[in-house]
Amino acid sequence: DEDQTKYYFETDTLLDPSSMITKGSYENKLFFDFTKYASAKGKIASGYQNEMKSTEDEARKEELTKILMDMSADISVKREEISVKYPELFIGRLYKAMLEVVAIDAPEDLGKDEAREYQYMWLRNHYWDNVDMSEDGLVRSPVFHGKLSYYMDNFMPPIPDTAILMTDALMNKIEKGGSDIQYKYTLQYLLDYFQKSKYMCFDKPLHHIAQNYYCEGKAYWSDSAFKDKMCTEAGKMAPTLCDVIAPDMNMPDTSFKRTVRMSEITTPVTVLIFWDINCGHCKKEMPIVSQYYDSANKEQVQIYAVYTQGDWEGWKERIKDEEFKFINVGAAFGIDQFRKNYNIKTTPQIYVLDKDKKIKFKKIAAKDIKSTVNFLLEEQGIIEKKEEKTEAN
């Protein structure tokens, strides 16, 4: 019931934390008392750390390591005591959020890998147990950001569907907790995280956030212009998300007398490429593509290469000079909406499709075509998986 808006501090001219006194706020007194305690421990620890750097005595190093670990544990215990004794105060909630969740032991009947997975899943599911999802103030401290960053970097696997499940689970948990500021901060953090992610197909969780949070009005703080932008971008992404059937194309070949429909390709894997004869990167990548195709099993993989510009004579000449033997088609006569469907802004763009023409890999380098194609062939049981080589004992 203390009026937390009326308090003051006293200190000396050296601004020494050990001489700081607070009046009018018991919560701030708790904070400064703990800070003094931790600071005193830190000064002692600093001496031990300096000794550890200078000594060559391994036994003494082990002893110092244990002392430092014990001192760190003492500070954690002190912090936990405050969180337990004062759960109604912000400092109690803050210090509880700083506590590490320790994994439980896995069942004894599990193997080593299964036990590791069990503990990983348990930690992932209980990671937020010590965080009060109703406390807005946590976002104003470094603690919430640190926990969120660690969670994404250490518990988020490079699997887009799992990323979506984890995103929804966390947002639902915060929504139930009731902190609007946590909800806003987390959604904005996740949007930025997926926009910057280098993982394959992580535009899928990005599309999910745009479509299911911004377009649905759950990002209530966003103005109409930003919401419209997000929805527009989500619409552009939708046709080429991983596990979506690639938009079909029916384009003329170099003869301009017949068209080739991509969906009629019958090989188990199709490599789709968008390229341009004047694109500098294409000039480096396309010979690698051609070299791969010349050595590939044509019953297992076909390449559907789409020329995106309009220099038809230059295109035909390049194909002839480079001896590109795969399927070559061009976006002639304006009969195909490939730019809209595939949102082509740069070239080359390389997609790898399975037997159902679902997008499995996208925007890869030419050198990675072989490994991704083989992965899909192995997945379909067409070729045997290569056993990892192990050294003989």
Side-chain angles (χ1 to χ4, degrees):
D1 298 330
E2 191 175 32
D3 183 0
Q4 294 287 331
T5 64
K6 297 180 180 180
Y7 57 87
Y8 63 92
F9 304 98
E10 293 180 0
T11 187
D12 58 23
T13 56
L14 298 176
L15 301 179
D16 184 353
S18 63
S19 65
M20 181 76 73
I21 298 173
T22 178
K23 295 183 179 180
S25 171
Y26 185 67
E27 185 162 3
N28 275 298
K29 181 179 183 303
L30 288 172
F31 175 74
F32 278 107
D33 286 348
F34 174 79
T35 300
K36 292 175 185 177
Y37 172 82
S39 179
K41 289 279 188 181
K43 289 180 180 179
I44 298 172
S46 180
Y48 288 136
Q49 289 168 346
N50 290 333
E51 182 182 353
M52 183 180 290
K53 292 177 182 178
S54 62
T55 185
E56 295 181 1
D57 186 336
E58 293 301 323
R60 179 57 177 164
K61 283 186 177 181
E62 290 184 13
E63 182 182 0
L64 289 170
T65 299
K66 185 179 184 309
I67 291 173
L68 289 168
M69 290 177 65
D70 289 343
M71 292 181 71
S72 178
D74 289 343
I75 294 173
S76 295
V77 168
K78 187 74 172 178
R79 188 183 289 118
E80 184 174 6
E81 288 174 354
I82 295 173
S83 71
V84 172
K85 191 173 181 179
Y86 303 101
E88 76 286 356
L89 296 180
F90 172 71
I91 191 173
R93 296 170 182 174
L94 177 67
Y95 285 175
K96 183 177 181 180
M98 295 173 69
L99 296 176
E100 182 180 355
V101 176
V102 180
I104 63 174
D105 292 333
E108 295 181 358
D109 60 335
L110 295 181
K112 185 177 180 180
D113 291 339
E114 291 175 321
R116 187 184 296 112
E117 182 179 358
Y118 177 92
Q119 289 191 311
Y120 158 77
M121 290 302 301
W122 190 93
L123 277 173
R124 197 177 87 182
N125 292 333
H126 291 269
Y127 180 84
W128 297 98
D129 284 2
N130 291 332
V131 178
D132 187 339
M133 298 295 190
S134 69
E135 178 55 69
D136 289 343
L138 291 178
V139 177
R140 300 186 178 96
S141 77
V143 174
F144 189 82
H145 175 85
K147 290 193 73 72
L148 183 56
S149 177
Y150 186 88
Y151 180 69
M152 298 300 292
D153 291 342
N154 292 275
F155 289 93
M156 177 70 70
I159 304 171
D161 289 338
T162 301
I164 290 172
L165 290 174
M166 291 176 65
T167 292
D168 287 346
L170 178 56
M171 295 310 301
N172 288 338
K173 186 185 290 289
I174 295 174
E175 187 174 24
K176 289 178 181 178
S179 171
D180 287 344
I181 293 179
Q182 283 189 31
Y183 188 92
K184 177 180 178 180
Y185 187 88
T186 302
L187 189 60
Q188 290 177 323
Y189 180 95
L190 292 173
L191 178 66
D192 183 66
Y193 178 88
F194 292 127
Q195 283 178 328
K196 295 178 179 177
S197 178
K198 303 299 183 183
Y199 288 142
M200 176 78 67
C201 298
F202 259 44
D203 56 344
K204 194 172 184 179
L206 176 61
H207 172 269
H208 177 81
I209 287 179
Q211 190 67 47
N212 293 280
Y213 290 89
Y214 284 86
C215 298
E216 291 296 322
K218 292 184 178 180
Y220 57 87
W221 56 88
S222 296
D223 59 28
S224 58
F226 188 79
K227 176 183 174 181
D228 290 345
K229 177 183 176 182
M230 293 298 298
C231 296
T232 299
E233 290 302 315
K236 292 178 181 178
M237 286 188 278
T240 57
L241 294 174
C242 283
D243 296 317
V244 168
I245 295 176
D248 198 13
M249 288 176 286
N250 187 27
M251 294 187 179
D253 64 11
T254 55
S255 71
F256 292 106
K257 294 179 180 179
R258 76 181 188 102
T259 59
V260 183
R261 184 175 292 280
M262 187 177 71
S263 61
E264 294 178 353
I265 295 173
T266 59
T267 51
V269 179
T270 302
V271 178
L272 168 61
I273 302 175
F274 295 95
W275 70 293
D276 171 21
I277 60 174
N278 294 316
C279 154
H281 197 47
C282 298
K283 292 176 182 178
K284 297 177 181 179
E285 293 284 274
M286 292 306 288
I288 300 174
V289 172
S290 181
Q291 185 179 17
Y292 162 74
Y293 184 74
D294 289 346
S295 64
N297 185 330
K298 310 305 185 291
E299 294 181 358
Q300 296 175 349
V301 61
Q302 183 54 265
I303 294 177
Y304 191 86
V306 179
Y307 173 56
T308 62
Q309 301 302 317
D311 182 359
W312 306 117
E313 293 305 317
W315 170 55
K316 290 190 283 187
E317 185 177 344
R318 175 66 58 80
I319 292 172
K320 180 180 178 181
D321 290 345
E322 299 284 351
E323 297 183 355
F324 293 163
K325 301 181 180 69
F326 40 79
I327 296 173
N328 287 282
V329 294
F333 315 129
I335 62 176
D336 199 281
Q337 300 296 315
F338 79 96
R339 289 192 185 279
K340 178 181 177 182
N341 291 335
Y342 286 89
N343 195 24
I344 300 297
K345 297 177 181 178
T346 61
T347 53
Q349 296 285 343
I350 303 177
Y351 295 78
V352 183
L353 319 178
D354 68 6
K355 61 182 177 60
D356 299 317
K357 299 299 181 289
K358 288 183 179 179
I359 298 170
K360 292 298 182 179
F361 298 92
K362 57 195 293 186
K363 300 182 179 180
I364 63 171
K367 65 180 179 62
D368 297 320
I369 292 177
K370 181 177 180 180
S371 61
T372 53
V373 168
N374 286 347
F375 177 85
L376 291 181
L377 293 174
E378 289 173 358
E379 193 174 54
Q380 297 176 56
I382 295 171
I383 63 174
E384 293 185 3
K385 292 184 179 181
K386 291 184 178 180
E387 297 293 335
E388 294 184 2
K389 294 181 179 180
T390 57
E391 295 182 2
N393 294 329

